[in-house]
Amino acid sequence: MSENYFDSIIIGGGAAGLTAGIYLARGKASVLILDTATIGGQMILTHKIANYPGVEETSGYELSSLMKKQASSFGCKIKSNVKVENLLLTDDLKEVELSDGSRFSAKTIILATGGRSRMLNVPGEKKLKGRGISYCATCDGDFFQDKEIIVVGGGNSAMEEAVSLTKYASRVSILHEFDHFQAFEHAVEEAKSNPKIDFIMESHITEFIGDTKLEAVKYKNLKTNEVSTKNIDGVFIFIGYEPNTDALVGTGIELNQWGEVLTNDMMETNIKGVYAAGDLRQKRVRQVTTAVADGTIAAVDALNKIHK
């Protein structure tokens, strides 16, 4: 068999991809894991993880490093910082071409490219992401016990997560660029009736300030153009979510209107032998644990096809 042929190629080295690799390799399948960046996906951007079962507290970097070590120890071949140039995905043939011209083929493919929370893209955001700036209340809310925070957004997620964060924070300010909210009325009313929540309307953040952690934000009132600085312990941003599926357009993989991959209960897409696992899927809950579950299910079903 060619050294460029594998039982399964996994595109994406986050929680879903690494878990799938571990299960496949332990099942005696040959596995290649490809990632466009550093192995670990969004996990490595999380400063602390305190809700992973069986692990009292760890960092995203430590957890992803352990997963990578496990995958390697079971025989997965791992390539990071590579760019997938072309994908050929059919029922009978699955090929991956990288930007350096190398080609790989496999009996099964698992797509685990993840997704990303939509960013504000203002100065300081990238630097302080995971160091006071968060995109997940469930993941990070507990780290802001008795702290003052800002929630950015005006949709259902912003309203609901702001209310949820009052379990931890001493004060929550919802900052929104319009004079009205896009959320359902009941969600808005629940936020407005919470004594811990106040509102900064018709404003947007122009800069995040801090060296090793977030210390303050600058925001501009879009009506008066007045710029204010507010000392703050944390900012949670809920302005939408984007799946990393741009490379799947035109491949035949069925996507929904938001670009998320559609799968069945076994994580298989509309193309036989091609799976999707993790945050690129159409789903509501996006956590490390749900990504791990997706990767497990996809790998188990792929093994059945590989060993037929």
Side-chain angles (χ1 to χ4, degrees):
M1 192 68 72
S2 167
E3 64 177 11
N4 285 0
Y5 178 86
F6 294 84
D7 291 321
S8 191
I9 295 175
I10 300 169
I11 302 176
L18 290 171
T19 300
I22 289 168
Y23 272 81
L24 283 161
R26 287 199 73 197
K28 305 303 180 184
S30 58
V31 181
L32 172 65
I33 299 176
L34 301 171
D35 199 287
T36 57
T38 303
I39 296 296
Q42 291 195 87
M43 281 191 295
I44 60 174
L45 302 176
T46 304
H47 187 54
K48 290 182 181 179
I49 294 177
N51 54 4
Y52 193 84
V55 180
E56 191 167 322
E57 186 174 290
T58 186
S59 70
Y61 176 80
E62 289 170 338
L63 185 58
S64 60
S65 295
L66 180 58
M67 287 185 181
K68 179 183 177 182
K69 183 178 179 181
Q70 285 177 303
S72 296
S73 70
F74 291 131
C76 292
K77 185 175 181 181
I78 300 175
K79 289 180 173 288
S80 59
N81 297 303
V82 297
K83 182 181 179 183
V84 175
E85 196 69 37
N86 288 301
L87 285 172
L88 176 60
L89 304 174
T90 69
D91 289 347
D92 300 319
L93 183 65
K94 290 117 176 109
E95 287 187 347
V96 180
E97 181 184 359
L98 302 184
S99 57
D100 63 4
S102 57
R103 292 174 177 266
F104 303 92
S105 56
K107 190 170 185 179
T108 61
I109 293 274
I110 297 179
L111 304 168
T113 52
R116 58 199 182 273
S117 296
R118 190 171 285 117
M119 298 177 65
L120 294 175
N121 292 315
V122 300
E125 185 174 8
K126 288 184 179 179
K127 174 185 175 182
L128 296 170
K129 188 176 181 180
R131 299 183 178 276
I133 300 175
S134 175
Y135 305 83
C136 177
T138 305
C139 311
D140 299 330
D142 187 45
F143 301 130
F144 295 90
Q145 190 72 47
D146 300 323
K147 306 288 187 180
E148 291 194 22
I149 63 173
I150 288 174
V151 168
V152 179
N156 289 316
S157 293
M159 296 298 110
E160 292 166 3
E161 299 293 18
V163 171
S164 174
L165 286 163
T166 60
K167 293 183 296 185
Y168 311 106
S170 60
R171 196 78 196 160
V172 177
S173 298
I174 297 178
L175 187 149
H176 189 42
E177 62 182 337
F178 301 119
D179 63 357
H180 61 281
F181 296 108
Q182 291 75 41
F184 293 136
E185 186 175 345
H186 69 84
V188 176
E189 287 305 313
E190 186 178 7
K192 286 184 175 180
S193 65
N194 192 302
K196 283 189 172 183
I197 295 177
D198 56 47
F199 301 87
I200 304 172
M201 305 300 289
E202 296 181 272
S203 300
H204 69 203
I205 292 177
T206 58
E207 184 180 359
F208 292 97
I209 301 168
D211 187 12
T212 59
K213 67 181 181 67
L214 180 68
E215 297 173 2
V217 297
K218 284 186 179 181
Y219 63 92
K220 180 180 180 179
N221 184 292
L222 299 175
K223 192 173 183 179
T224 65
N225 289 325
E226 180 183 358
V227 176
S228 303
T229 299
K230 182 177 179 67
N231 294 331
I232 204 74
D233 298 299
V235 173
F236 286 78
I237 300 171
F238 302 109
I239 58 171
Y241 175 86
E242 301 171 323
N244 293 325
T245 56
D246 295 347
L248 300 181
V249 176
T251 63
I253 293 291
E254 189 176 357
L255 308 174
N256 67 13
Q257 65 195 60
W258 297 286
E260 299 165 329
V261 180
L262 301 177
T263 69
N264 60 21
D265 289 346
M266 298 309 294
M267 307 299 140
E268 193 169 28
T269 69
N270 59 301
I271 298 176
K272 184 179 179 181
V274 179
Y275 300 83
D279 289 356
L280 80 166
R281 287 183 58 233
Q282 176 178 285
K283 58 193 295 187
R284 292 192 64 183
V285 180
R286 292 180 169 89
Q287 297 284 294
V288 175
T289 48
T290 60
V292 166
D294 286 359
T296 301
I297 294 167
V300 169
D301 199 66
L303 278 171
N304 290 331
K305 289 182 170 59
I306 290 166
H307 293 318
K308 272 186 178 180

